[in-house]
Amino acid sequence: MALIIDGYDKFAAFITWHPSVQFIHLQWTDYTSTVRVRILTLRHFQALLEAKTNLALCRHYLCLIDIGLPLTNVDPGRPAGQSFLLPDFNTIHLCPSLNTAEEHAVLLCYFGNGTPLHQEIHHSPLTLSAPFCPRRALLQAIQAGEEIGLYFRVGFELEFSAVQPKHSAKTAEIHASSGLRAIESFMLPVLSTITKQLESAANVPVEQFHCEGSDNAYELVLGHLPPMEAVDGLVTAKETTRRVCRENGIEVLFNPTMPEINGLHTNISVQSLRGEVGEVEESFLAGVMQHLGALCAFAMPRPEGYARTRAGQWCAGRWVSWGTDNREGPVRKRGRV
């Protein structure tokens, strides 16, 4: 199935509404979960559009491990081939938290192959090929669900550790889960800035933030969105958090490296246009249980994730199970909306 890209009119209107924009960030996420970017001048990007082409780059940028060059070099075909960044024009937004944010706009991209099959980008959707793109795989899953009447909403709870600079004059309070003095000690203005930047520049809804249980741990709860927008918002939220913390001299870590037990909780709601809601819920939950072992490859790609889920941590536990209010289970059914 070909990839159809539309939304050019939205991009053109955005540029008209934001005349200060001078740079376009073409951003994609590869198989190693590394967020990559090519930053183009607006002039050059518009020239590519006028020429009815896309930015070309080597195909290894979908799976390159920067520190593992000897490993990546064992593929003799790696230097050959051509790929393209295919912008999703509907994702256009200002780059949150940059001091020159009004000059920088972001477009999230598919990682595609070949040349456009349909060239009239200004007047109709653009049809391309992107068979190996992770973003494309998510889109196919969404479309497969819609074909049988299933629709989803997804929200993320982003946990991370933040340590203030050693030279800071502020006295760190004893950290406590949902502690008032702990969050006021240095992270309240930082989390407030992250929230305002996400909501104003990137249209990513934030519901709340608070201290988590382990030392220096915090949680940012994102609002629910359709799956593609939710994942895009998650990527933007992580990068915005990194950027704002860096600007304030704060070291931030998302990994579940002990003693921190950072996680990424995913809230999923499913609705169906066919059949009873109860039947859909049961079938969906049964599928998750059946494939939970395989899902660990995506949900816990790092060895530290398995240390985090040991018994007694309130972090998914060790058993293939589900419950309602049991935090030792990997899946919690919260009820019907």
Side-chain angles (χ1 to χ4, degrees):
M1 185 184 297
L3 172 66
I4 298 177
I5 294 178
D6 57 12
Y8 177 80
D9 290 342
K10 179 179 179 179
F11 167 78
F14 178 92
I15 297 301
T16 300
W17 295 335
H18 298 84
S20 298
V21 169
Q22 300 180 38
F23 303 95
I24 301 295
H25 294 221
L26 299 183
Q27 185 175 297
W28 74 102
T29 303
D30 68 12
Y31 287 143
T32 70
S33 196
T34 299
V35 179
R36 301 187 183 275
V37 67
R38 291 291 181 95
I39 302 175
L40 280 61
T41 61
L42 176 61
R43 180 189 66 255
H44 180 57
F45 182 64
Q46 290 177 322
L48 291 176
L49 297 180
E50 291 294 332
K52 301 182 178 64
T53 188
N54 296 280
L55 184 69
L57 67 171
C58 184
R59 69 181 181 88
H60 73 179
Y61 279 110
L62 198 58
C63 53
L64 178 67
I65 305 174
D66 290 338
I67 61 173
L69 192 59
L71 175 64
T72 59
N73 273 350
V74 299
D75 179 3
R78 184 62 61 87
Q82 188 84 86
S83 295
F84 296 86
L85 292 182
L86 314 176
D88 182 346
F89 294 110
N90 289 303
T91 65
I92 185 71
H93 62 268
L94 293 174
C95 189
S97 81
L98 281 180
N99 293 329
T100 54
E102 293 186 355
E103 297 180 358
H104 294 258
V106 179
L107 278 170
L108 303 179
C109 298
Y110 296 95
F111 198 92
N113 298 328
T115 56
L117 306 175
H118 185 71
Q119 298 285 348
E120 297 299 328
I121 186 173
H122 296 279
H123 305 291
S124 59
L126 189 65
T127 302
L128 303 117
S129 174
F132 305 113
C133 175
R135 181 185 174 84
R136 171 61 171 148
L138 174 58
L139 179 61
Q140 287 177 315
I142 296 169
Q143 292 172 336
E146 291 175 350
E147 288 176 359
I148 57 174
L150 294 180
Y151 295 87
F152 298 88
R153 303 283 292 187
V154 179
F156 293 103
E157 300 174 13
L158 181 59
E159 297 178 356
F160 59 94
S161 302
V163 181
Q164 64 178 329
K166 293 181 180 180
H167 61 270
S168 175
K170 297 181 180 179
T171 301
E173 296 284 345
I174 295 176
H175 198 85
S177 180
S178 297
L180 173 62
R181 285 175 291 177
I183 199 169
E184 285 182 340
S185 65
F186 71 99
M187 277 299 288
L188 181 57
V190 175
L191 287 164
S192 299
T193 298
I194 293 169
T195 298
K196 290 185 290 186
Q197 289 289 338
L198 286 173
E199 294 203 323
S200 62
N203 296 317
V204 177
V206 178
E207 294 185 350
Q208 60 172 299
F209 52 78
H210 58 89
C211 291
E212 264 293 347
S214 56
D215 287 347
N216 306 312
Y218 302 87
E219 181 174 301
L220 191 69
V221 180
L222 306 181
H224 60 86
L225 292 167
M228 183 66 77
E229 289 86 340
V231 173
D232 289 345
L234 172 63
V235 173
T236 300
K238 291 183 71 173
E239 295 309 309
T240 302
T241 300
R242 286 192 176 101
R243 195 176 297 121
V244 173
C245 287
R246 184 170 61 245
E247 291 169 354
N248 287 274
I250 295 171
E251 181 182 352
V252 63
L253 181 69
F254 294 97
N255 297 332
T257 304
M258 304 297 283
E260 289 82 6
I261 52 174
N262 297 322
L264 178 63
H265 300 158
T266 305
N267 301 299
I268 302 175
S269 64
V270 55
Q271 295 179 333
S272 174
L273 299 181
R274 308 174 188 175
E276 293 293 331
V277 175
E279 295 178 359
V280 173
E281 286 181 349
E282 291 176 1
S283 295
F284 181 76
L285 190 55
V288 173
M289 292 294 100
Q290 181 179 356
H291 297 286
L292 192 60
L295 289 173
C296 289
F298 299 94
M300 297 191 296
R302 298 174 60 91
E304 296 92 328
Y306 296 89
R308 175 184 179 272
T309 57
R310 68 175 184 262
Q313 292 279 57
W314 292 16
C315 298
R318 289 294 194 185
W319 303 99
V320 176
S321 62
W322 68 273
T324 52
D325 290 315
N326 184 359
R327 287 171 173 78
E328 280 288 282
V331 178
R332 294 167 60 200
K333 183 179 178 181
R334 302 299 301 274
R336 299 177 184 176
V337 179

Short mmCIF file of all heavy atoms in Angstrom, two decimals, residues 168-225:
data_model
loop_
_atom_site.label_atom_id
_atom_site.label_comp_id
_atom_site.label_asym_id
_atom_site.label_seq_id
_atom_site.Cartn_x
_atom_site.Cartn_y
_atom_site.Cartn_z
N SER A 168 24.74 24.76 42.14
CA SER A 168 23.53 25.51 42.40
C SER A 168 23.49 25.97 43.86
O SER A 168 23.85 25.24 44.79
CB SER A 168 22.29 24.66 42.10
OG SER A 168 21.11 25.35 42.48
N ALA A 169 23.02 27.22 44.04
CA ALA A 169 22.92 27.78 45.38
C ALA A 169 21.67 27.30 46.11
O ALA A 169 21.53 27.49 47.31
CB ALA A 169 22.91 29.30 45.31
N LYS A 170 20.75 26.67 45.37
CA LYS A 170 19.50 26.21 45.97
C LYS A 170 19.74 24.93 46.77
O LYS A 170 20.45 24.03 46.33
CB LYS A 170 18.45 25.96 44.89
CG LYS A 170 18.06 27.21 44.11
CD LYS A 170 16.99 26.89 43.08
CE LYS A 170 16.60 28.14 42.30
NZ LYS A 170 15.57 27.85 41.27
N THR A 171 19.12 24.86 47.91
CA THR A 171 19.23 23.68 48.76
C THR A 171 18.17 22.66 48.33
O THR A 171 16.97 22.98 48.29
CB THR A 171 19.02 24.04 50.24
OG1 THR A 171 20.01 24.99 50.62
CG2 THR A 171 19.13 22.79 51.11
N ALA A 172 18.60 21.46 48.00
CA ALA A 172 17.68 20.44 47.56
C ALA A 172 16.85 19.93 48.73
O ALA A 172 17.38 19.65 49.81
CB ALA A 172 18.42 19.28 46.91
N GLU A 173 15.55 19.85 48.53
CA GLU A 173 14.66 19.31 49.54
C GLU A 173 14.68 17.78 49.49
O GLU A 173 15.07 17.18 48.49
CB GLU A 173 13.24 19.81 49.30
CG GLU A 173 13.07 21.31 49.46
CD GLU A 173 13.06 21.74 50.91
OE1 GLU A 173 12.90 20.86 51.79
OE2 GLU A 173 13.23 22.94 51.18
N ILE A 174 14.28 17.15 50.57
CA ILE A 174 14.15 15.69 50.58
C ILE A 174 13.07 15.31 49.57
O ILE A 174 11.95 15.83 49.61
CB ILE A 174 13.78 15.17 51.98
CG1 ILE A 174 14.93 15.47 52.96
CG2 ILE A 174 13.48 13.68 51.94
CD1 ILE A 174 14.62 15.08 54.39
N HIS A 175 13.42 14.42 48.66
CA HIS A 175 12.48 14.07 47.59
C HIS A 175 11.38 13.17 48.13
O HIS A 175 11.64 12.25 48.92
CB HIS A 175 13.22 13.36 46.45
CG HIS A 175 12.46 13.35 45.17
ND1 HIS A 175 12.52 14.39 44.28
CD2 HIS A 175 11.62 12.43 44.63
CE1 HIS A 175 11.75 14.11 43.23
NE2 HIS A 175 11.19 12.92 43.43
N ALA A 176 10.16 13.44 47.69
CA ALA A 176 9.02 12.64 48.12
C ALA A 176 8.01 12.58 47.00
O ALA A 176 7.82 13.56 46.27
CB ALA A 176 8.38 13.24 49.38
N SER A 177 7.37 11.45 46.85
CA SER A 177 6.36 11.29 45.81
C SER A 177 5.23 12.31 46.02
O SER A 177 4.65 12.38 47.10
CB SER A 177 5.80 9.86 45.85
OG SER A 177 4.81 9.69 44.86
N SER A 178 4.98 13.10 44.98
CA SER A 178 3.98 14.18 45.01
C SER A 178 4.29 15.22 46.09
O SER A 178 3.40 15.95 46.53
CB SER A 178 2.57 13.62 45.22
OG SER A 178 2.20 12.79 44.14
N GLY A 179 5.55 15.33 46.48
CA GLY A 179 5.95 16.27 47.53
C GLY A 179 5.92 17.72 47.04
O GLY A 179 6.46 18.02 45.97
N LEU A 180 5.33 18.59 47.83
CA LEU A 180 5.24 20.00 47.45
C LEU A 180 6.60 20.68 47.50
O LEU A 180 7.05 21.30 46.53
CB LEU A 180 4.26 20.72 48.38
CG LEU A 180 4.19 22.25 48.23
CD1 LEU A 180 3.72 22.62 46.83
CD2 LEU A 180 3.29 22.86 49.29
N ARG A 181 7.30 20.57 48.66
CA ARG A 181 8.59 21.24 48.78
C ARG A 181 9.63 20.66 47.82
O ARG A 181 10.51 21.38 47.35
CB ARG A 181 9.08 21.15 50.22
CG ARG A 181 8.33 22.10 51.17
CD ARG A 181 8.73 21.91 52.59
NE ARG A 181 8.26 20.62 53.11
CZ ARG A 181 8.52 20.17 54.32
NH1 ARG A 181 9.26 20.89 55.16
NH2 ARG A 181 8.06 19.00 54.72
N ALA A 182 9.50 19.35 47.53
CA ALA A 182 10.46 18.73 46.62
C ALA A 182 10.35 19.32 45.22
O ALA A 182 11.36 19.62 44.57
CB ALA A 182 10.22 17.22 46.57
N ILE A 183 9.12 19.53 44.74
CA ILE A 183 8.98 20.04 43.38
C ILE A 183 9.25 21.55 43.33
O ILE A 183 9.72 22.07 42.31
CB ILE A 183 7.58 19.72 42.82
CG1 ILE A 183 7.60 19.82 41.28
CG2 ILE A 183 6.50 20.64 43.38
CD1 ILE A 183 6.36 19.25 40.62
N GLU A 184 9.00 22.25 44.44
CA GLU A 184 9.25 23.68 44.46
C GLU A 184 10.74 24.01 44.56
O GLU A 184 11.15 25.12 44.25
CB GLU A 184 8.51 24.33 45.63
CG GLU A 184 7.00 24.48 45.41
CD GLU A 184 6.32 25.17 46.56
OE1 GLU A 184 6.91 25.19 47.68
OE2 GLU A 184 5.21 25.68 46.36
N SER A 185 11.56 23.04 44.98
CA SER A 185 12.96 23.34 45.26
C SER A 185 13.70 23.85 44.03
O SER A 185 14.49 24.78 44.14
CB SER A 185 13.66 22.11 45.84
OG SER A 185 13.71 21.06 44.87
N PHE A 186 13.43 23.27 42.85
CA PHE A 186 14.05 23.81 41.64
C PHE A 186 13.34 23.43 40.34
O PHE A 186 13.53 24.06 39.31
CB PHE A 186 15.53 23.40 41.54
CG PHE A 186 15.75 21.94 41.23
CD1 PHE A 186 16.04 21.53 39.93
CD2 PHE A 186 15.71 20.98 42.21
CE1 PHE A 186 16.25 20.19 39.63
CE2 PHE A 186 15.93 19.65 41.93
CZ PHE A 186 16.20 19.24 40.64
N MET A 187 12.44 22.43 40.38
CA MET A 187 11.86 21.93 39.13
C MET A 187 10.52 22.57 38.76
O MET A 187 10.07 22.44 37.63
CB MET A 187 11.68 20.42 39.19
CG MET A 187 12.94 19.64 38.87
SD MET A 187 13.58 19.92 37.20
CE MET A 187 12.36 19.06 36.21
N LEU A 188 9.86 23.26 39.68
CA LEU A 188 8.56 23.82 39.36
C LEU A 188 8.62 24.79 38.18
O LEU A 188 7.83 24.65 37.23
CB LEU A 188 7.94 24.50 40.59
CG LEU A 188 6.55 25.10 40.38
CD1 LEU A 188 5.56 24.06 39.89
CD2 LEU A 188 6.04 25.75 41.67
N PRO A 189 9.52 25.78 38.16
CA PRO A 189 9.57 26.67 36.98
C PRO A 189 10.00 25.95 35.70
O PRO A 189 9.56 26.30 34.61
CB PRO A 189 10.58 27.74 37.39
CG PRO A 189 11.38 27.13 38.49
CD PRO A 189 10.46 26.21 39.21
N VAL A 190 10.83 24.92 35.85
CA VAL A 190 11.28 24.17 34.67
C VAL A 190 10.13 23.39 34.06
O VAL A 190 9.88 23.44 32.84
CB VAL A 190 12.44 23.22 35.05
CG1 VAL A 190 12.84 22.37 33.85
CG2 VAL A 190 13.63 24.02 35.55
N LEU A 191 9.38 22.67 34.90
CA LEU A 191 8.24 21.90 34.41
C LEU A 191 7.14 22.82 33.88
O LEU A 191 6.45 22.48 32.91
CB LEU A 191 7.70 21.01 35.52
CG LEU A 191 8.58 19.80 35.86
CD1 LEU A 191 8.18 19.20 37.21
CD2 LEU A 191 8.51 18.74 34.77
N SER A 192 6.99 23.98 34.49
CA SER A 192 6.01 24.95 33.98
C SER A 192 6.39 25.42 32.59
O SER A 192 5.53 25.54 31.70
CB SER A 192 5.90 26.13 34.95
OG SER A 192 5.46 25.72 36.23
N THR A 193 7.68 25.69 32.38
CA THR A 193 8.15 26.12 31.06
C THR A 193 7.96 25.02 30.02
O THR A 193 7.51 25.29 28.91
CB THR A 193 9.64 26.52 31.13
OG1 THR A 193 9.79 27.62 32.03
CG2 THR A 193 10.16 26.92 29.76
N ILE A 194 8.30 23.79 30.38
CA ILE A 194 8.11 22.66 29.46
C ILE A 194 6.64 22.56 29.05
O ILE A 194 6.32 22.43 27.86
CB ILE A 194 8.56 21.35 30.12
CG1 ILE A 194 10.08 21.35 30.33
CG2 ILE A 194 8.15 20.14 29.28
CD1 ILE A 194 10.58 20.22 31.21
N THR A 195 5.74 22.66 30.02
CA THR A 195 4.31 22.55 29.74
C THR A 195 3.83 23.66 28.82
O THR A 195 3.12 23.42 27.83
CB THR A 195 3.51 22.57 31.06
OG1 THR A 195 3.89 21.44 31.85
CG2 THR A 195 2.02 22.52 30.79
N LYS A 196 4.21 24.89 29.12
CA LYS A 196 3.77 26.02 28.30
C LYS A 196 4.32 25.94 26.89
O LYS A 196 3.60 26.25 25.92
CB LYS A 196 4.19 27.34 28.97
CG LYS A 196 3.40 27.64 30.24
CD LYS A 196 3.75 29.00 30.81
CE LYS A 196 5.13 29.04 31.40
NZ LYS A 196 5.41 30.34 32.08
N GLN A 197 5.56 25.50 26.76
CA GLN A 197 6.15 25.38 25.42
C GLN A 197 5.46 24.29 24.61
O GLN A 197 5.20 24.46 23.42
CB GLN A 197 7.65 25.09 25.53
CG GLN A 197 8.48 26.26 26.03
CD GLN A 197 8.58 27.36 24.98
OE1 GLN A 197 8.38 27.14 23.79
NE2 GLN A 197 8.87 28.57 25.44
N LEU A 198 5.18 23.15 25.24
CA LEU A 198 4.53 22.05 24.53
C LEU A 198 3.13 22.46 24.06
O LEU A 198 2.74 22.19 22.92
CB LEU A 198 4.43 20.81 25.43
CG LEU A 198 5.72 20.03 25.65
CD1 LEU A 198 5.51 18.95 26.70
CD2 LEU A 198 6.21 19.41 24.35
N GLU A 199 2.37 23.13 24.93
CA GLU A 199 0.99 23.46 24.58
C GLU A 199 0.91 24.61 23.60
O GLU A 199 0.05 24.62 22.71
CB GLU A 199 0.21 23.76 25.85
CG GLU A 199 0.06 22.54 26.76
CD GLU A 199 -1.12 22.63 27.69
OE1 GLU A 199 -1.41 23.74 28.18
OE2 GLU A 199 -1.77 21.59 27.93
N SER A 200 1.80 25.60 23.71
CA SER A 200 1.69 26.78 22.86
C SER A 200 2.38 26.60 21.51
O SER A 200 1.85 27.02 20.48
CB SER A 200 2.29 28.00 23.57
OG SER A 200 3.68 27.81 23.82
N ALA A 201 3.54 25.94 21.50
CA ALA A 201 4.31 25.83 20.26
C ALA A 201 4.00 24.55 19.48
O ALA A 201 4.04 24.56 18.24
CB ALA A 201 5.81 25.89 20.56
N ALA A 202 3.70 23.45 20.17
CA ALA A 202 3.57 22.16 19.49
C ALA A 202 2.19 21.55 19.60
O ALA A 202 1.96 20.46 19.07
CB ALA A 202 4.61 21.18 20.05
N ASN A 203 1.26 22.22 20.29
CA ASN A 203 -0.11 21.71 20.44
C ASN A 203 -0.14 20.33 21.10
O ASN A 203 -0.98 19.49 20.75
CB ASN A 203 -0.84 21.66 19.09
CG ASN A 203 -1.03 23.05 18.49
OD1 ASN A 203 -1.39 23.99 19.20
ND2 ASN A 203 -0.76 23.17 17.20
N VAL A 204 0.78 20.08 22.02
CA VAL A 204 0.80 18.83 22.78
C VAL A 204 0.15 19.09 24.13
O VAL A 204 0.67 19.87 24.93
CB VAL A 204 2.24 18.32 22.98
CG1 VAL A 204 2.25 17.06 23.84
CG2 VAL A 204 2.91 18.04 21.64
N PRO A 205 -1.00 18.45 24.41
CA PRO A 205 -1.69 18.73 25.68
C PRO A 205 -0.98 18.07 26.86
O PRO A 205 -0.53 16.94 26.78
CB PRO A 205 -3.08 18.12 25.46
CG PRO A 205 -2.85 17.01 24.47
CD PRO A 205 -1.75 17.50 23.56
N VAL A 206 -0.88 18.81 27.95
CA VAL A 206 -0.32 18.30 29.20
C VAL A 206 -1.39 18.39 30.27
O VAL A 206 -2.02 19.43 30.45
CB VAL A 206 0.93 19.10 29.63
CG1 VAL A 206 1.47 18.58 30.96
CG2 VAL A 206 2.00 19.02 28.54
N GLU A 207 -1.61 17.30 30.99
CA GLU A 207 -2.64 17.28 32.02
C GLU A 207 -2.11 17.66 33.40
O GLU A 207 -2.75 18.39 34.15
CB GLU A 207 -3.29 15.89 32.08
CG GLU A 207 -4.07 15.54 30.81
CD GLU A 207 -4.81 14.22 30.92
OE1 GLU A 207 -4.57 13.48 31.90
OE2 GLU A 207 -5.65 13.95 30.04
N GLN A 208 -0.93 17.14 33.76
CA GLN A 208 -0.38 17.43 35.08
C GLN A 208 1.09 17.03 35.13
O GLN A 208 1.60 16.34 34.25
CB GLN A 208 -1.15 16.66 36.16
CG GLN A 208 -1.12 15.15 35.99
CD GLN A 208 -1.72 14.41 37.17
OE1 GLN A 208 -1.23 14.54 38.30
NE2 GLN A 208 -2.78 13.63 36.92
N PHE A 209 1.78 17.48 36.19
CA PHE A 209 3.12 17.00 36.48
C PHE A 209 3.30 16.96 38.00
O PHE A 209 2.62 17.66 38.75
CB PHE A 209 4.20 17.86 35.81
CG PHE A 209 4.10 19.34 36.06
CD1 PHE A 209 4.54 19.90 37.25
CD2 PHE A 209 3.58 20.18 35.09
CE1 PHE A 209 4.46 21.27 37.48
CE2 PHE A 209 3.49 21.55 35.31
CZ PHE A 209 3.93 22.10 36.49
N HIS A 210 4.24 16.10 38.45
CA HIS A 210 4.45 15.92 39.88
C HIS A 210 5.75 15.17 40.12
O HIS A 210 6.38 14.65 39.19
CB HIS A 210 3.28 15.14 40.52
CG HIS A 210 3.05 13.78 39.90
ND1 HIS A 210 3.69 12.65 40.35
CD2 HIS A 210 2.27 13.39 38.86
CE1 HIS A 210 3.31 11.62 39.63
NE2 HIS A 210 2.43 12.03 38.71
N CYS A 211 6.17 15.10 41.39
CA CYS A 211 7.33 14.29 41.78
C CYS A 211 6.95 12.81 41.78
O CYS A 211 5.86 12.44 42.22
CB CYS A 211 7.81 14.68 43.17
SG CYS A 211 8.55 16.30 43.30
N GLU A 212 7.88 11.98 41.32
CA GLU A 212 7.70 10.54 41.42
C GLU A 212 8.40 10.01 42.67
O GLU A 212 9.06 10.76 43.39
CB GLU A 212 8.24 9.84 40.17
CG GLU A 212 7.18 9.54 39.11
CD GLU A 212 6.17 8.52 39.60
OE1 GLU A 212 6.42 7.85 40.63
OE2 GLU A 212 5.11 8.38 38.97
N GLY A 213 8.28 8.69 42.89
CA GLY A 213 8.73 8.12 44.15
C GLY A 213 10.24 8.03 44.32
O GLY A 213 10.75 8.26 45.42
N SER A 214 10.99 7.69 43.28
CA SER A 214 12.44 7.53 43.44
C SER A 214 13.11 8.90 43.43
O SER A 214 12.55 9.90 42.96
CB SER A 214 13.00 6.64 42.33
OG SER A 214 12.68 7.14 41.06
N ASP A 215 14.33 8.95 43.95
CA ASP A 215 15.05 10.22 44.08
C ASP A 215 15.18 10.93 42.74
O ASP A 215 15.51 10.31 41.71
CB ASP A 215 16.44 9.97 44.66
CG ASP A 215 16.38 9.62 46.15
OD1 ASP A 215 15.31 9.83 46.75
OD2 ASP A 215 17.40 9.15 46.68
N ASN A 216 14.92 12.24 42.76
CA ASN A 216 15.09 13.10 41.59
C ASN A 216 14.19 12.74 40.42
O ASN A 216 14.48 13.09 39.27
CB ASN A 216 16.55 13.09 41.11
CG ASN A 216 17.53 13.44 42.21
OD1 ASN A 216 17.34 14.41 42.93
ND2 ASN A 216 18.57 12.62 42.36
N ALA A 217 13.10 12.01 40.69
CA ALA A 217 12.23 11.55 39.61
C ALA A 217 10.96 12.41 39.52
O ALA A 217 10.40 12.83 40.53
CB ALA A 217 11.84 10.09 39.82
N TYR A 218 10.54 12.65 38.26
CA TYR A 218 9.37 13.48 38.00
C TYR A 218 8.54 12.82 36.89
O TYR A 218 9.03 11.98 36.14
CB TYR A 218 9.78 14.89 37.58
CG TYR A 218 10.64 15.58 38.62
CD1 TYR A 218 12.02 15.40 38.64
CD2 TYR A 218 10.05 16.37 39.61
CE1 TYR A 218 12.81 16.00 39.60
CE2 TYR A 218 10.83 16.98 40.58
CZ TYR A 218 12.20 16.79 40.57
OH TYR A 218 12.97 17.38 41.55
N GLU A 219 7.28 13.23 36.83
CA GLU A 219 6.39 12.67 35.82
C GLU A 219 5.61 13.79 35.14
O GLU A 219 5.07 14.68 35.80
CB GLU A 219 5.42 11.66 36.43
CG GLU A 219 4.47 11.04 35.42
CD GLU A 219 3.60 9.94 36.01
OE1 GLU A 219 4.18 8.95 36.54
OE2 GLU A 219 2.36 10.07 35.96
N LEU A 220 5.54 13.71 33.82
CA LEU A 220 4.78 14.63 32.99
C LEU A 220 3.70 13.82 32.29
O LEU A 220 4.00 12.90 31.53
CB LEU A 220 5.71 15.29 31.96
CG LEU A 220 5.18 16.47 31.17
CD1 LEU A 220 5.01 17.69 32.07
CD2 LEU A 220 6.15 16.81 30.03
N VAL A 221 2.43 14.13 32.59
CA VAL A 221 1.32 13.36 32.05
C VAL A 221 0.75 14.10 30.84
O VAL A 221 0.25 15.22 30.96
CB VAL A 221 0.22 13.16 33.11
CG1 VAL A 221 -0.93 12.34 32.53
CG2 VAL A 221 0.79 12.47 34.34
N LEU A 222 0.83 13.46 29.68
CA LEU A 222 0.34 14.05 28.44
C LEU A 222 -1.13 13.68 28.22
O LEU A 222 -1.56 12.59 28.59
CB LEU A 222 1.18 13.56 27.25
CG LEU A 222 2.69 13.76 27.36
CD1 LEU A 222 3.37 13.25 26.09
CD2 LEU A 222 3.04 15.22 27.62
N GLY A 223 -1.87 14.58 27.62
CA GLY A 223 -3.26 14.31 27.31
C GLY A 223 -3.41 13.30 26.20
O GLY A 223 -2.47 13.03 25.44
N HIS A 224 -4.62 12.71 26.08
CA HIS A 224 -4.83 11.66 25.09
C HIS A 224 -5.10 12.26 23.72
O HIS A 224 -5.72 13.32 23.57
CB HIS A 224 -5.98 10.74 25.52
CG HIS A 224 -7.29 11.46 25.69
ND1 HIS A 224 -8.16 11.68 24.65
CD2 HIS A 224 -7.87 11.99 26.80
CE1 HIS A 224 -9.23 12.30 25.10
NE2 HIS A 224 -9.09 12.51 26.40
N LEU A 225 -4.60 11.56 22.70
CA LEU A 225 -4.72 11.98 21.30
C LEU A 225 -4.89 10.73 20.44
O LEU A 225 -4.66 9.61 20.91
CB LEU A 225 -3.45 12.73 20.86
CG LEU A 225 -3.18 14.10 21.48
CD1 LEU A 225 -1.75 14.53 21.17
CD2 LEU A 225 -4.17 15.14 20.97
#
